[in-house]
Amino acid sequence: MLQIESRQFAVERGLFACIQCGKCTGGCPMAMKTRLNPRDLIYRVLVSGNGFNLEGREELWDCTTCLTCYSRCPKQVNPMEAILAMRGAIVEKGKIHPNVKTALESTFRNGNPLKMPRSDRAEWAKELQLKAFPDGGAEYLFYIGCTPSYDPRGQKVARALVRVLGSAGLDFGILGNDENCCASEVRRLGEAGLFEAMVEENTAAFTELGVEKMFTVSPHCFNVFKNDYQKLEVGAKFSAQVQHYTQVLADLTRDGRLKFNGSFEQKVTYHDPCYLGRHNGIFDEPRAILQGIPGLELIEMDRSREKSLCCEGGGGRMFLEGTNPGTRLAQQRVQEALDSGATILATACPFCLLTLEEAVKHLNAEEKLRVLDIAEIAERAL
Amino acid sequence: MSDSIPSSANGRGAALVIGAGIAGIQAALDIADAGFKVYLVERSPSIGGRMSQLDKTFPTLDCSSCILTPKMADVPRNPNITLLTCTQVEAVEGQAGAFHVTLERQPRFVDESVCTGCGLCTDVCPVITPNIFNAALDSHKAIYRVFPQAVPAAFVIDKRPSPCKITCPAHIPVQGYIALIAQGKFREALQRVREAGVPFVGTLGRVCYHPCESECKRADWDEAVSICALKRIAYDAGRDDEKPQPVPIQYEEHVAVVGAGPAGLTTACNLTRRGYKVTVFDALPSPGGMLAAGIPEYRLPREVLNDEIDYVLAQGVELKLNTPIGRDGGPSLEDLRRDHQAVFLAIGAHGSSRLGVPGEDLPEVFQAVPFLRHMNMGHEANIGKHVAVIGGGNSAIDAARCALRLGAEVQLVYRRSRAEMPAAPWEVSAAEQEGVKLTFLSAPLRVIEKDGHAAGIECIRMKLGEPDSSGRRRPVPVDGTEYVMDVDTIIAAIGQNVESDGLGVETKWGQFVVDPLTLETSAKGVFAGGDAVIGPASVVEAIGAGLQAAESIHRYLRGMDLRDGRSQDHPKSKDIQISPAEAVKRAPREHMPELPVAERINNFREVELGLTAEQAMAEAQRCLSCAVCSECNQCVTACQRGAIVPEDAPRRIEVDVGAIVVATGFDVFDPRRKPEFGYGKYPQVITSLEFERLASASGPTAGRISLNGHPPNKVTFIHCVGSRDRSLNLPNCSRVCCMAVAKQAHLAHDRLPGAQITVFYMDVRAFGKGFEEFYDRVRKEGILYRRGNPSEIVRRGDHLFVRAEDTLLGEPVEVESDLIVLAAGLTPRADASGLAQILHLVQGTDGYFQEAHPKLRTVESSVPGMYLAGCCQGPKDIPDTVAQAKAAASAAMILLNGKGANHASN
Ligand SMILES: Cc1cc2nc3c(=O)[nH]c(=O)nc-3n(C[C@H](O)[C@H](O)[C@H](O)COP(=O)(O)OP(=O)(O)OC[C@H]3O[C@@H](n4cnc5c(N)ncnc54)[C@H](O)[C@@H]3O)c2cc1C
Ligand code: SF4
Ligand code: SF4
Ligand code: SF4
Ligand code: SF4
Ligand code: SF4
């Protein structure tokens, strides 16, 4: 049996504070389409005496870690973290889904969950002649992340960003094939042990390299470095100042270092990635960049900022179907973008980019709507 | 100003009651009825507090204003109560039994004892502003009565700072003349500016650098209002040939003004109006200072300037031209001081800085200021065909554009780049359009001489180096880049200075040293202002100094304090928040037509042609009325009782009291802090207080519950918005919302037959007398209570959906709604900590004022002699509030009776 000691579990995670208001479930995008009900889950943990059985609770893998639940909770209970801890308990017992297993094994072996060789990690940049960090003496470490390193769509974003940063004269270097996965998805998939090992490894490497300032393409990498590393004892030494690239670009635009001499004459709507917006409160910087681009008209969808609808790409869901693969949230999101009258759906996250683009194809809307990363839009307006 | 009101009319001691909501009113009436004196201090213009905003009251459904109004009316009738509205506590000293309290009364601008409440003023007032009492669901005029049953019934003017007026160095009532223009009242608009002491309206409307426009709030929406062009049309369309009559002389003192520029003439004009005899001395043969001698005619037609100078002189100002003071054989300053009791030095900055290069004294090298003066005084200018103007300021541009008009080819040489040019950008581009060539990063090395005449100028290229003390990057020469410009005339315009020698007044860099507030110089009775003090600047700054000097000289001559009540601290315009009464529609600013370039370059005709009357009225309507009251003074004219006091100012009031009752109430949570509900974004989402106004017979819809005229038929209420919420650090229950929602659901059911009414709740707290019974009744009426607190509101197409989990079903649900009422919680007053500091009160962790003991001393505060009543101590309903107010009153009376001092301290 897959039991957790539920009383201790609930006390440690503050679940007794829950007043069963249902705000978490009322806002949870997965509760709309799956059995996942965070309030109900908490209540069942609370009333289960001291043994709560996780067997058969497939819905635990439905959570996209969008954090809507926590952001709505009036009592500061964090259902998402409770769910991740339950996943951890399952993984610890070795009862994991084969897809999850492959992703985790690949991360352990190759430093990425995508089953790609380490030696290909810097392929995307082979024609770009970028400075190597730290030998090139650069000010910033540009941390690329797995999807932008390997996925052809993601690579385009990384290259666009390089051009934009170059035009602003930002001094940065990359780690090339020495870059290792940030382990964000490892944590979301509940593999606490592997996560700890990788935090230890990465923290040691960054400390040795003397990284002081760094930025990432993906909000997921940004989030884990910024919020999760230092919480572990083995990551306590992690001291680099981490930014998401939209923060860097917004600063460069504000200081007048990044100038858009071209224009981008399109109606653009912006999808707030969960890990940039709700997780880290970064709503204004991406918009500031877009609004600074000549010709660009920014339209807001109803669900924007704090209310952004998750694309269903987070929480390890890039590697898992979930219990209701039917309509992905990304399709609903693309429909909202179409309804807004925009011709471009902008985002700032490689996962969002892939899921949304997939959804556009699925809805046969390629003629009407294109999905672009902010870095790509910025590049077109240089 | 400060008043002292006798503290205990009947010798039995007095109490101060702070806040006049139902708690304060009740406490004041009780204490007064027992024979003690009461000062009832209320911050807003009327008493009544939140209760006056409510429609019905739970659980008995009494009409709120029907039960409150009689109590309000009792207050002014009670001889023991002194009611002070628009007033706040500034400081409290002393202890129980003997407090000394300093109050500050904000101006109401209407004399309460004179105003009859007839409303004639409101009819003529051109400004509308959101009606805060009606939760901004409708609007009222700038002069208004808070609500029909207000006590006192007198009207009040909402007057705030506006960025334009603050920024204007002469503090011209910009919004006032703009409001008049919007109504087509051009004459009144001109009159309004002149009334404010500014005689140069048509002049400023042409040559002012309008710093006001850079701060105009309208630019946050689209573009700044054309404040300057509107001033021009106030004059152009509002002027007539009538000249003012000489003002009779009231005082025997005689004032001398040195300099007939805008500073000097403004001072002369204002002192003459106050009844002084003023003589203005000027070295030049015609008056106007730089307006006449410096500014070229194509920017300021002399007909306009002379008309405005005549306006000043016609009031009785004496003018002595061709009379230099302290130089060239004219009278000395000492001579003037013998015959005059005050002197104002406004001699401008008419000296020129030298180029400091060889060849500078050749006959073809001119200085800009004398060159312009020479031409402006009607003399022939002997310049050649190829002119180089050196400099990048406004004088350089003026000289260049003049030389061009005399038929020369003109090159302007400036040592920094375009971005650093001190000249106004629109002047620079006009010069360019007309054909002036600009050469940047270049500086003269020497004037090339040939047979005693200038035959060119050698220059060197510059580059920008490190920033200098002025913060601009210092130009440095680039070796080996010398080159020769082929010109026959050079006009140097690199700086002006003040010709202050020989006056015997303290100077620094030639400029008079003055006290910036009073403009006093080192010599007693001698004041100075304008360019002569700040160096070459602007007409409007000179006028501002003129106004300042007139005030100082008047005070000086009348033996009054020169500083009292004056200050140069104004709020920063970026800190001014405005709330336009209506949604601002984008409308670009109106532009003046200009004379085509071909028609201007060979003459001195005016370039800018002014707005048409229609354009001006449309432009004036773009003003957002930042200050609310525009100071147009139309109400002053309309009021037949003379009740309006435009110059009303804050007043200090000191009182001595034995006891203090604090009854300052609560604020309503701002649901914008929970963005998931879209309050402020979706018009269909309102707070419960707004619902009260919608339901109230005296509210904006006369009690019909409707939005944009449509009665809703799917109404959803949401409990606990901003209550019991640790994520917002608002952990407490607001105590009244459950029952308020029940009441409102009932009202909605009653007034909207057939509507579907849903209440989302976590739990219903019906703890008071008759509450549970009322809750039973409401549910039975057919109102659906669903357990679960909504997470968000989303819009699909035109429809709003409340998304929640129905926790009894264990399922997420969506409820379509066309009116959503958020039961916004109660919070401590935003300024509670400020008051706590003044009174030394302790606040609880929830921010409410803390009682001395939670069980046994529930109305005593942490300070002996101060008592708490109503929601300032914690959220509560009306019955509890009244009970606590009566208890606080009785505790105060025990102390006043001399029995409480011991009790209060143990
Ligand atoms: C070419 C030029 C263009 C300008 N354009 C603009 C513009 O477009 N907009 C703007 O806002 N500002 C402009 N200015 C600046 C503006 O004219 C001045 O800031 C303003 O006139 C200063 O007013 P004032 O009364 O202090 O001095 P002034 O206007 O200089 O008046 C001083 C008067 O005192 C007289 N005087 C001096 N010494 C003595 C003495 N010892 N005895 C008796 N009389 C004396 C002088 O003859 C003069 O008449 C311009 C200035 C110049 C030079
Ligand atoms: S993180 Fe998102 S998907 Fe997961 S339970 Fe919370 S609201 Fe639902
Ligand atoms: S929102 Fe918080 S308090 Fe409400 S049910 Fe969910 S976890 Fe419990
Ligand atoms: S017109 Fe005068 S008397 Fe009448 S309401 Fe206005 S201020 Fe009062
Ligand atoms: S001065 Fe003008 S704007 Fe102000 S209250 Fe009177 S009429 Fe209204
Ligand atoms: S909008 Fe009107 S009141 Fe406000 S700053 Fe501009 S001109 Fe002045």
Side-chain angles (χ1 to χ4, degrees):
Chain A
M1 256 224 298
L2 252 178
Q3 285 246 357
I4 51 171
E5 279 184 36
S6 46
R7 199 179 156 75
Q8 189 195 347
F9 183 93
V11 170
E12 277 171 5
R13 286 170 184 77
L15 303 187
F16 278 98
C18 169
I19 40 166
Q20 292 292 303
C21 68
K23 273 179 183 278
C24 47
T25 304
C28 172
M30 297 311 289
M32 293 190 266
K33 47 176 270 196
T34 71
R35 262 178 51 204
L36 181 62
N37 181 331
R39 177 203 53 80
D40 179 79
L41 196 60
I42 290 172
Y43 193 63
R44 285 176 196 280
V45 171
L46 295 180
V47 298
S48 65
N50 201 17
F52 182 59
N53 189 3
L54 298 173
E55 197 92 59
R57 292 223 161 256
E58 285 306 314
E59 76 269 24
L60 289 173
W61 300 98
D62 283 326
C63 171
T64 70
T65 67
C66 70
L67 204 66
T68 307
C69 48
Y70 173 65
S71 76
R72 302 284 157 76
C73 177
K75 298 298 178 189
Q76 293 179 308
V77 177
N78 193 332
M80 179 199 78
E81 285 293 348
I83 291 170
L84 290 187
M86 291 185 210
R87 285 183 182 182
I90 298 172
V91 174
E92 212 176 2
K93 296 258 159 72
K95 306 232 167 168
I96 47 177
H97 193 280
N99 285 5
V100 174
K101 200 175 239 159
T102 334
L104 291 174
E105 271 170 14
S106 168
T107 311
F108 177 65
R109 267 201 209 101
N110 311 317
N112 69 74
L114 307 166
K115 294 181 282 179
M116 302 294 283
R118 275 189 202 270
S119 54
D120 285 357
R121 194 161 179 111
E123 278 295 286
W124 69 277
K126 70 171 181 291
E127 270 140 37
L128 294 175
Q129 288 158 350
L130 300 180
K131 269 192 195 174
F133 194 95
D135 301 339
E139 184 184 357
Y140 284 89
L141 168 64
F142 177 10
Y143 178 88
I144 320 296
C146 302
T147 311
S149 291
Y150 293 108
D151 182 89
R153 186 69 190 84
Q155 291 178 340
K156 283 193 195 164
V157 176
R159 282 194 287 261
L161 188 53
V162 164
R163 274 204 56 204
V164 176
L165 295 167
S167 93
L170 193 85
D171 183 22
F172 64 88
I174 64 170
L175 295 175
N177 288 342
D178 292 339
E179 189 181 281
N180 194 23
C181 176
C182 67
S184 172
E185 293 313 278
V186 171
R187 177 166 193 275
R188 312 301 131 180
L189 287 168
E191 197 7 319
L194 178 57
F195 179 65
E196 188 167 341
M198 292 181 67
V199 169
E200 184 166 14
E201 189 184 340
N202 286 343
T203 304
F206 284 6
T207 316
E208 182 151 328
L209 294 168
V211 182
E212 279 170 17
K213 295 198 249 178
M214 62 185 284
F215 58 89
T216 72
V217 185
S218 170
H220 296 261
C221 313
F222 162 67
N223 176 73
V224 76
F225 287 135
K226 182 158 178 278
N227 299 322
D228 296 328
Y229 271 45
Q230 277 136 313
K231 284 194 197 131
L232 292 185
E233 210 171 300
V234 293
K237 281 222 208 73
F238 185 91
S239 63
Q241 179 217 70
V242 193
Q243 285 183 298
H244 184 248
Y245 85 82
T246 51
Q247 295 177 293
V248 176
L249 293 192
D251 284 350
L252 290 171
T253 340
R254 203 194 41 230
D255 300 346
R257 287 173 67 188
L258 175 57
K259 290 203 186 64
F260 297 112
N261 296 320
S263 67
F264 191 75
E265 312 271 343
Q266 298 277 359
K267 289 189 180 165
V268 177
T269 190
Y270 171 65
H271 162 77
D272 291 274
C274 300
Y275 276 77
L276 205 52
R278 259 188 306 271
H279 279 264
N280 287 293
I282 299 173
F283 299 110
D284 295 327
E285 290 88 337
R287 289 178 170 79
I289 303 169
L290 292 172
Q291 271 157 340
I293 294 177
L296 186 153
E297 186 191 336
L298 183 64
I299 308 176
E300 292 287 359
M301 291 180 276
D302 174 60
R303 283 181 161 277
S304 67
R305 303 174 72 95
E306 293 86 351
K307 253 164 64 181
S308 178
L309 179 67
C310 175
C311 75
E312 215 177 326
R317 294 296 311 281
M318 293 303 280
F319 314 103
L320 279 169
E321 287 280 73
T323 57
N324 177 4
T327 349
R328 282 246 168 186
L329 293 176
Q331 284 170 31
Q332 193 182 330
R333 191 56 165 164
V334 165
Q335 194 55 53
E336 291 177 2
L338 286 166
D339 294 343
S340 77
T343 50
I344 302 289
L345 174 54
T347 188
C349 167
F351 290 167
C352 297
L353 190 67
L354 295 175
T355 53
L356 294 171
E357 212 158 63
E358 181 71 32
V360 169
K361 285 199 197 109
H362 199 270
L363 294 173
N364 287 325
E366 289 110 315
E367 306 273 280
K368 287 186 235 134
L369 189 72
R370 288 193 64 188
V371 186
L372 289 175
D373 192 280
I374 287 185
E376 298 176 298
I377 298 177
E379 185 206 20
R380 273 157 228 220
L382 283 180
Chain B
M1 249 190 286
S2 98
D3 305 270
S4 220
I5 300 181
S7 61
S8 67
N10 48 20
R12 292 198 58 203
L16 171 74
V17 177
I18 308 172
I22 180 60
I25 292 174
Q26 187 60 57
L29 288 172
D30 280 7
I31 299 172
D33 284 347
F36 299 98
K37 171 83 199 156
V38 178
Y39 301 101
L40 178 56
V41 166
E42 167 60 49
R43 170 166 73 175
S44 78
S46 170
I47 64 172
R50 297 285 181 194
M51 187 175 169
S52 59
Q53 290 180 281
L54 305 183
D55 177 34
K56 298 280 185 289
T57 54
F58 65 76
T60 45
L61 296 177
D62 298 294
C63 156
S64 183
S65 48
C66 310
I67 57 177
L68 177 64
T69 308
K71 278 198 186 292
M72 288 168 62
D74 285 345
V75 168
R77 272 193 228 127
N78 193 312
N80 284 341
I81 299 180
T82 298
L83 172 61
L84 298 162
T85 49
C86 303
T87 303
Q88 270 175 285
V89 179
E90 285 285 288
V92 175
E93 287 156 25
Q95 66 283 316
F99 291 112
H100 182 73
V101 184
T102 309
L103 305 170
E104 177 153 289
R105 186 167 208 196
Q106 291 307 318
R108 184 181 192 105
F109 303 102
V110 175
D111 187 337
E112 274 167 56
S113 59
V114 181
C115 172
T116 59
C118 69
L120 287 174
C121 49
T122 287
D123 296 341
V124 298
C125 176
V127 176
I128 59 166
T129 184
N131 184 341
I132 303 302
F133 183 80
N134 277 347
L137 295 165
D138 64 351
S139 55
H140 58 60
K141 296 290 186 71
I143 186 163
Y144 68 108
R145 181 157 52 197
V146 188
F147 55 102
Q149 303 81 9
V151 172
F155 277 53
V156 53
I157 298 182
D158 186 346
K159 206 182 273 203
R160 309 177 199 183
S162 68
C164 47
K165 184 180 171 192
I166 291 172
T167 311
C168 174
H171 305 306
I172 293 175
V174 170
Q175 203 194 309
Y177 75 77
I178 291 184
L180 288 162
I181 292 175
Q183 298 178 298
K185 298 182 175 169
F186 296 100
R187 269 197 62 185
E188 288 84 348
L190 171 60
Q191 219 43 53
R192 186 66 194 91
V193 186
R194 285 181 170 169
E195 252 172 41
V198 175
F200 296 105
V201 188
T203 300
L204 278 177
R206 290 172 163 81
V207 304
C208 187
Y209 301 140
H210 47 72
C212 51
E213 292 185 16
S214 327
E215 299 296 323
C216 174
K217 286 278 171 192
R218 177 80 202 201
D220 295 354
W221 277 264
D222 40 42
E223 294 174 280
V225 174
S226 291
I227 299 174
C228 189
L230 289 172
K231 202 177 285 101
R232 172 176 170 153
I233 196 161
Y235 171 83
D236 289 1
R239 65 186 277 194
D240 54 31
D241 293 332
E242 239 172 85
K243 286 285 166 247
Q245 293 300 309
V247 183
I249 292 176
Q250 271 191 47
Y251 303 113
E252 56 191 29
E253 291 92 345
H254 188 178
V255 180
V257 170
V258 185
L265 289 178
T266 299
T267 303
C269 175
N270 285 281
L271 285 172
T272 305
R273 278 194 199 165
R274 292 200 194 219
Y276 291 96
K277 179 162 191 273
V278 184
T279 306
V280 180
F281 301 87
D282 201 296
L284 289 177
S286 41
M290 277 297 183
L291 298 176
I295 300 182
E297 175 131 36
Y298 62 84
R299 289 210 282 132
L300 176 59
R302 290 308 182 252
E303 190 275 322
V304 172
L305 174 60
N306 293 336
D307 177 60
E308 298 204 302
I309 294 176
D310 286 349
Y311 168 83
V312 174
L313 299 180
Q315 302 182 54
V317 174
E318 186 186 23
L319 180 63
K320 291 202 173 150
L321 295 171
N322 301 310
T323 314
I325 305 298
R327 59 170 153 91
D328 304 332
S332 69
L333 179 58
E334 283 320 305
D335 294 337
L336 288 193
R337 288 177 78 187
R338 236 186 332 274
D339 301 334
H340 303 84
Q341 286 62 52
V343 180
F344 180 47
L345 299 176
I347 61 170
H350 289 241
S352 308
S353 309
R354 290 175 58 84
L355 278 176
V357 301
E360 160 161 37
D361 295 317
L362 291 169
E364 292 79 12
V365 183
F366 300 90
Q367 281 287 351
V369 172
F371 165 74
L372 290 168
R373 179 167 61 223
H374 190 71
M375 254 182 25
N376 282 328
M377 298 283 147
H379 305 291
E380 191 99 4
N382 295 315
I383 60 165
K385 288 276 146 226
H386 303 280
V387 177
V389 176
I390 318 291
N394 283 304
S395 308
I397 298 286
D398 282 340
R401 292 177 75 187
C402 281
L404 188 103
R405 281 167 169 72
L406 295 172
E409 209 172 81
V410 184
Q411 299 217 32
L412 187 133
V413 180
Y414 179 53
R415 60 194 183 130
R416 304 182 205 239
S417 68
R418 182 188 289 266
E420 288 84 26
M421 277 182 96
W426 57 91
E427 292 283 334
V428 180
S429 59
E432 269 187 301
Q433 275 172 27
E434 290 167 5
V436 173
K437 301 256 174 333
L438 307 182
T439 307
F440 296 109
L441 291 167
S442 201
L445 288 175
R446 67 184 174 104
V447 181
I448 299 169
E449 181 191 335
K450 200 170 169 199
D451 310 327
H453 293 279
I457 181 162
E458 184 181 339
C459 297
I460 184 161
R461 298 265 175 232
M462 313 290 273
K463 65 171 196 247
L464 293 180
E466 292 301 305
D468 63 12
S469 58
S470 75
R472 294 184 302 174
R473 293 173 66 191
R474 188 195 306 275
V476 285
V478 183
D479 285 342
T481 59
E482 295 82 356
Y483 68 101
V484 172
M485 276 171 76
D486 227 359
V487 294
D488 50 23
T489 306
I490 292 105
I491 302 177
I494 60 163
Q496 286 160 243
N497 43 52
V498 183
E499 295 169 317
S500 55
D501 293 352
L503 285 163
V505 174
E506 189 193 338
T507 59
K508 189 176 179 191
W509 314 117
Q511 297 162 4
F512 297 117
V513 177
V514 299
D515 178 317
L517 185 65
T518 63
L519 302 184
E520 295 164 282
T521 65
S522 58
K524 193 159 169 53
V526 179
F527 300 77
D531 283 7
V533 166
I534 56 176
S538 68
V539 178
V540 70
E541 283 162 284
I543 292 174
L547 286 163
Q548 238 178 307
E551 175 69 24
S552 291
I553 292 173
H554 171 65
R555 289 182 184 215
Y556 169 74
L557 294 176
R558 301 269 64 78
M560 290 153 59
D561 189 302
L562 261 63
R563 315 189 79 85
D564 191 27
R566 295 169 88 180
S567 124
Q568 287 173 317
D569 293 343
H570 298 289
K572 298 264 169 300
S573 39
K574 67 168 169 23
D575 297 335
I576 297 178
Q577 305 275 339
I578 62 164
S579 41
E582 291 159 342
V584 179
K585 287 195 210 70
R586 277 183 77 90
R589 116 195 196 127
E590 298 283 343
H591 287 283
M592 286 192 259
E594 292 184 348
L595 207 61
V597 172
E599 287 174 40
R600 47 170 129 133
I601 53 176
N602 51 8
N603 59 62
F604 283 80
R605 280 167 55 199
E606 186 169 24
V607 170
E608 291 184 323
L609 300 177
L611 299 172
T612 63
E614 294 71 39
Q615 273 184 309
M617 288 169 66
E619 180 62 21
Q621 269 143 21
R622 295 180 62 241
C623 169
L624 299 174
S625 306
C626 300
V628 187
C629 168
S630 73
E631 306 191 316
C632 69
N633 284 357
Q634 296 189 90
C635 54
V636 180
T637 318
C639 176
Q640 293 171 356
R641 305 261 308 158
I644 294 164
V645 194
E647 63 288 349
D648 200 1
R651 278 196 295 148
R652 286 239 143 132
I653 301 167
E654 320 257 334
V655 296
D656 290 302
V657 296
I660 297 178
V661 176
V662 184
T664 47
F666 64 96
D667 273 341
V668 176
F669 172 75
D670 179 359
R672 268 171 276 250
R673 291 177 63 196
K674 292 195 84 64
E676 59 269 30
F677 290 139
Y679 176 80
K681 179 169 144 193
Y682 308 132
Q684 303 92 318
V685 179
I686 65 173
T687 64
S688 33
L689 195 67
E690 288 164 352
F691 184 89
E692 294 287 345
R693 295 314 299 149
L694 270 190
S696 164
S698 64
T701 53
R704 283 184 308 277
I705 299 173
S706 67
L707 285 172
N708 301 322
H710 300 295
N713 62 38
K714 296 188 188 94
V715 186
T716 302
F717 291 86
I718 299 180
H719 272 210
C720 296
V721 177
S723 305
R724 308 166 69 185
D725 194 334
R726 291 197 170 269
S727 71
L728 296 167
N729 200 16
L730 293 168
N732 60 286
C733 166
S734 291
R735 233 165 153 250
V736 300
C737 324
C738 287
M739 294 317 292
V741 165
K743 170 189 78 179
Q744 296 183 349
H746 160 79
L747 292 176
H749 168 78
D750 192 42
R751 313 253 174 99
L752 299 166
Q756 160 207 306
I757 297 164
T758 310
V759 178
F760 276 108
Y761 71 103
M762 279 194 269
D763 33 35
V764 172
R765 302 184 168 180
F767 54 88
K769 181 170 173 178
F771 289 11
E772 183 66 17
E773 296 89 318
F774 183 68
Y775 172 43
D776 285 343
R777 165 179 165 188
V778 170
R779 280 194 333 277
K780 275 194 218 141
E781 287 173 347
I783 287 152
L784 180 62
Y785 271 73
R786 298 189 80 166
R787 202 188 74 183
N789 209 341
S791 193
E792 60 190 5
I793 296 171
V794 298
R795 182 174 57 202
R796 273 183 229 121
D798 293 334
H799 302 276
L800 292 188
F801 297 85
V802 174
R803 296 191 3 92
E805 185 197 6
D806 182 322
T807 56
L808 294 176
L809 294 177
E811 282 169 12
V813 294
E814 291 191 344
V815 175
E816 190 185 338
S817 314
D818 49 11
L819 178 67
I820 299 163
V821 184
L822 307 178
L826 276 50
T827 66
R829 286 278 184 194
D831 60 354
S833 355
L835 188 62
Q837 262 180 19
I838 293 173
L839 301 178
H840 312 293
L841 293 179
V842 171
Q843 289 172 279
T845 48
D846 54 8
Y848 292 99
F849 298 136
Q850 186 70 51
E851 63 278 16
H853 187 284
K855 305 282 181 304
L856 303 177
R857 301 179 64 203
T858 51
V859 299
E860 289 87 343
S861 76
S862 50
V863 180
M866 295 190 194
Y867 307 95
L868 306 174
C871 289
C872 67
Q873 178 262 347
K876 51 181 70 70
D877 54 35
I878 298 170
D880 286 1
T881 296
V882 171
Q884 199 186 18
K886 288 182 147 306
S890 101
M893 292 185 291
I894 294 170
L895 172 66
L896 292 180
N897 253 337
K899 307 242 165 66
N902 294 332
H903 180 78
S905 54
N906 61 32

